[in-house]
Amino acid sequence: MDDWVRVRLGVVGGTMVATPLPRGAGVLTSLVRADGLLVVPAGQEGHHPGDEVDIALLRGLDEIERTIVAIGSHDLVLDLAASALRAEDPAVTLASSNVGSLGGLVALRDGLCHLAGSHLLDPATGEYTEPYVRRVLGGTDVAIVRLVHRDQGLIVAPGNPLGLAGVAGLIRPGVRYVNRQRGAGTRVLLDHQLASLGVAPDAIDGYAREEPTHLAVAAAVAAGRGDAGLGILAAARAFGLDFVPVTREPYDLVVAADAMDSPLLAPLWALLHSDRFQAAVTDLGGYSTKEMGRRLR
């Protein structure tokens, strides 16, 4: 029997690109948000990146052409921006796919998105974003725009019942950790913290237990499936959980050069400079908007 995959669509560099939506919980919401349906023939595991496929459209082409395609690290600010853009102009869509910072840079390199969210720390230099842009994108002409600074820390149960004070506490017997996926900037941060402490990843119970977003990590802790996970303060607050600060980091948008000054992205840049939007971001908790919208490159 054929399988149907819900996808978001956008036009990048004159080519329509399709990005799968998550399966599982919330599929009805995914169906509402989907731009199209991709058929996977019976007996076939799926399609490969770059494959040319047929899509049954659920939205008009004019709407799809006004979709900003963002692929990369998950952040609640992008979710908030998507809602704010649509409230201002229902024809404007910001479609985000959460594949981790590294996956976003690869997607940008391959022409699959307009912008990639990234907060990758380079342990050798202490810099964020730029070293990985050089490594993954080489001499490709891209822009880097600061979105926010945000607080990263351990998301724990209310009252912090295990008394965790930092990453070092994760090696204690009985502490179950909830990790992010390989290539996620948060996982890179954890690995850097562990290396600085001389701790091997396999010393962490649950290091191989992966979730795709900060909210998914928080949901796992809230449901009792784990005791702690590294993530952002806003995700902890969303689930009524406690938070043990670890660091404050920048989160950047890496943008294709031909998209930076395009009419498509103009509403997003205007939104980032809006006092009202910046106030809404601050209200999420754990964010600084001091440099929001500043072009770094």
Side-chain angles (χ1 to χ4, degrees):
M1 182 177 178
D2 292 345
D3 188 18
W4 291 92
V5 178
R6 302 166 183 84
V7 297
R8 297 306 302 264
L9 298 170
V11 178
V12 182
T15 301
M16 187 175 294
V17 297
T19 307
L21 283 165
R23 296 170 178 263
V27 292
L28 290 180
T29 302
S30 294
L31 182 60
V32 172
R33 295 190 299 115
D35 298 325
L37 297 173
L38 164 65
V39 63
V40 178
Q44 183 175 323
E45 291 188 4
H47 295 282
H48 298 289
D51 284 353
E52 187 171 310
V53 296
D54 292 325
I55 302 288
L57 296 182
L58 299 176
R59 284 205 303 159
L61 287 175
D62 56 335
E63 293 181 82
I64 292 170
E65 288 173 350
R66 296 194 67 186
T67 297
I68 302 169
V69 181
I71 298 179
S73 170
H74 172 247
D75 191 89
L76 272 66
V77 174
L78 289 179
D79 299 334
L80 188 64
S83 297
L85 288 170
R86 182 162 286 277
E88 190 165 316
D89 183 351
V92 176
T93 301
L94 172 60
S96 298
S97 296
N98 308 312
V99 300
S101 295
L102 189 58
L105 294 180
V106 171
L108 188 66
R109 179 198 66 192
D110 294 344
L112 300 178
C113 60
H114 299 111
L115 55 89
S118 177
H119 62 110
L120 286 165
L121 168 65
D122 179 32
T125 63
E127 291 182 81
Y128 282 82
T129 308
E130 183 72 47
Y132 285 89
V133 168
R134 292 195 299 266
R135 208 169 296 161
V136 176
L137 296 165
T140 304
D141 187 15
V142 296
I144 301 176
V145 176
R146 176 63 39 81
L147 185 62
V148 288
H149 282 86
R150 63 187 194 173
D151 292 335
Q152 283 263 41
L154 295 179
I155 298 172
V156 297
N160 191 9
L162 298 181
L164 296 174
V167 170
L170 298 177
I171 64 174
R172 283 169 29 195
V175 178
R176 300 166 300 155
Y177 185 70
V178 183
N179 208 354
R180 291 292 305 283
Q181 77 274 33
R182 189 182 302 273
T186 299
R187 181 154 167 168
V188 172
L189 174 63
L190 173 69
D191 290 346
H192 173 61
Q193 293 277 330
L194 294 178
S196 68
L197 295 169
V199 174
D202 59 10
I204 307 297
D205 178 10
Y207 183 86
R209 185 182 304 131
E210 300 179 351
E211 295 290 350
T213 67
H214 295 278
L215 289 175
V217 169
V221 174
R225 298 195 304 272
D227 300 306
L230 194 61
I232 56 175
L233 174 58
R237 282 194 175 183
F239 282 85
L241 301 170
D242 273 4
F243 184 81
V244 180
V246 171
T247 192
R248 171 159 280 202
E249 64 175 14
Y251 180 101
D252 300 319
L253 302 177
V254 184
V255 189
D258 59 354
M260 183 66 203
D261 298 318
S262 68
L264 177 67
L265 266 62
L268 176 61
W269 305 140
L271 180 70
L272 298 188
H273 288 96
S274 158
D275 291 341
R276 182 177 178 181
F277 180 71
Q278 292 187 15
V281 171
T282 301
D283 286 345
L284 291 174
Y287 287 108
S288 168
T289 61
K290 185 177 180 179
E291 292 189 286
M292 179 174 278
R294 183 167 78 89
R295 184 167 179 172
L296 307 177
R297 170 179 170 179

